[in-house]
Amino acid sequence: MNVAEASNASEAVLEEVQTAVIGEQQLFETIMTAIVAQGHVLLEDVPGTGKTLTAQSIATALDLEFTRIQFTPDLLPADITGTHIYNEHEASFEFERGPVFANVVLADEINRAPPKTQAALLEAMGEKQVSVAGDTYDLPEPFFVIATQNPVEQEGTFPLPEAQVDRFMVKTTIGYPNRVGELTLINRRADRHARTPTVSRVVDRETVLDIQTVPETVVVDPVIREYLVDVCRATREDSRVDVGVSPRGVQRLFEASRARAMLAGRDYVAPEDIQAIAHAVLDHRLVLTTEADVRGVDSSTVVDSALNSVPVPSMVEE
């Protein structure tokens, strides 16, 4: 599969998802960028904005096995990864796989569970495997987590550990639709009998795996690589930042930029690809100083400063 074919297939998936979910085009492109780049997605917003529907619709359009884990304060790690069950007939223990063994895992309201349970996803997200009682089990391919969370100001929520937040390639929000969007929402509801809209399959599992290999063929010029690294390093040099973008974050921005270029139908990365995905990849990786928090500074402002402080390289066609 070449870049043009992968771009067209991805666009078809996005169009199908948007028949069910009302939202900005950029939101769906950001999510698709992470999926193509084999990353995980964190959706943060207030209840009722379509986070769960978005995840379900994407899984259906991609024709992938889907599971949903509802995170609650009493959820245990074994409820996610699985556990060994004693088989009386065989007189032995057998591993019963948990809901994490799927292609698309919706971790719904992930910050309603305590940190120990949240951390149960760490190995799965980072290594695409789980370890239970000394045994290691591989997760299916492709595998990605779409987690939803309510803002930490909501009652009964726990902030995600920094190590887990860093495992998400992108973090984004859906937000409220505009007036036209909400009118479209109820017009669509009036035209169907079911409460929840549905989407159709667009591609299959093998096609998804093929699409995920295409960004590896996208060229990143040395000057573009330097620009990407300098933007990330600029976040560490900002006096308002306590912890800047990690080396893992630099690599994730590189991978996301290649995927973003592929979605645009190009076989090379341009500065606008980095700029388009920078906030989704970098904002949630920054830890600001206490003084910056008190002054109301947010991570988005810091990333904007980094983007504005690094000269944008010119693209010269040979």
Side-chain angles (χ1 to χ4, degrees), residues 52 68-75 106-110 112-113:
T52 301
R68 176 179 178 270
I69 306 172
Q70 179 63 55
F71 279 69
T72 57
D74 61 348
L75 193 71
L106 171 60
D108 212 359
E109 296 186 305
I110 189 173
R112 289 208 176 275

Side-chain angles (χ1 to χ4, degrees), residues 176-197:
Y176 293 115
N178 57 26
R179 184 173 182 273
V180 174
E182 292 191 317
L183 283 171
T184 302
L185 182 70
I186 61 174
N187 288 338
R188 290 179 179 177
R189 177 64 183 90
D191 292 337
R192 66 175 189 272
H193 296 291
R195 173 173 291 181
T196 304

Side-chain angles (χ1 to χ4, degrees), residues 7 33-34 46 65 97-98 140 144 154-155 160 192 204 217 225 227 230 233:
S7 176
T33 296
V46 296
E65 183 183 359
R97 296 172 180 247
F144 52 88
Q154 295 282 326
E155 185 177 354
L160 292 180
R192 66 175 189 272
D204 57 19
T217 67
R225 299 182 189 187
Y227 173 66
D230 289 342
R233 291 180 65 85

Side-chain angles (χ1 to χ4, degrees), residues 127-150:
E127 307 298 331
K128 297 186 178 180
Q129 65 181 27
V130 297
S131 298
V132 179
D135 295 323
T136 300
Y137 303 90
D138 292 329
L139 295 170
E141 289 283 354
F143 172 79
F144 52 88
V145 173
I146 300 179
T148 73
Q149 71 169 8
N150 298 324

Side-chain angles (χ1 to χ4, degrees), residues 108-304:
D108 212 359
E109 296 186 305
I110 189 173
N111 60 334
R112 289 208 176 275
K116 182 177 181 180
T117 302
Q118 294 171 1
L121 279 178
L122 273 177
E123 181 183 13
M125 294 171 63
E127 307 298 331
K128 297 186 178 180
Q129 65 181 27
V130 297
S131 298
V132 179
D135 295 323
T136 300
Y137 303 90
D138 292 329
L139 295 170
E141 289 283 354
F143 172 79
F144 52 88
V145 173
I146 300 179
T148 73
Q149 71 169 8
N150 298 324
V152 293
E153 292 81 7
Q154 295 282 326
E155 185 177 354
T157 60
F158 300 83
L160 292 180
E162 293 173 10
Q164 183 161 357
V165 172
D166 198 46
R167 288 295 198 277
F168 289 99
M169 174 173 280
V170 301
K171 177 183 176 183
T172 187
T173 61
I174 296 178
Y176 293 115
N178 57 26
R179 184 173 182 273
V180 174
E182 292 191 317
L183 283 171
T184 302
L185 182 70
I186 61 174
N187 288 338
R188 290 179 179 177
R189 177 64 183 90
D191 292 337
R192 66 175 189 272
H193 296 291
R195 173 173 291 181
T196 304
T198 58
V199 301
S200 301
R201 187 191 81 172
V202 177
V203 296
D204 57 19
R205 173 181 173 275
E206 293 303 321
T207 302
V208 175
L209 291 172
D210 286 343
I211 291 174
Q212 289 183 327
T213 66
V214 176
E216 298 295 330
T217 67
V218 174
V219 176
V220 187
D221 191 86
V223 297
I224 301 299
R225 299 182 189 187
E226 292 178 9
Y227 173 66
L228 185 150
V229 169
D230 289 342
V231 167
C232 293
R233 291 180 65 85
T235 65
R236 304 175 197 159
E237 298 165 0
D238 195 304
S239 61
R240 298 167 293 183
V241 175
D242 192 17
V243 180
V245 176
S246 67
R248 179 192 288 130
V250 176
Q251 181 171 316
R252 295 297 173 265
L253 181 57
F254 176 79
E255 293 165 348
S257 298
R258 291 195 301 184
R260 183 68 173 70
M262 188 218 77
L263 290 178
R266 282 184 278 102
D267 60 1
Y268 63 92
V269 172
E272 53 261 36
D273 296 315
I274 297 172
Q275 295 160 359
I277 203 68
H279 283 289
V281 177
L282 303 182
D283 285 6
H284 64 288
R285 302 178 191 275
L286 302 181
V287 178
L288 304 184
T289 63
T290 302
E291 181 182 354
D293 283 332
V294 171
R295 294 172 57 188
V297 176
D298 59 20
S299 298
S300 178
T301 302
V302 174
V303 172
D304 277 335

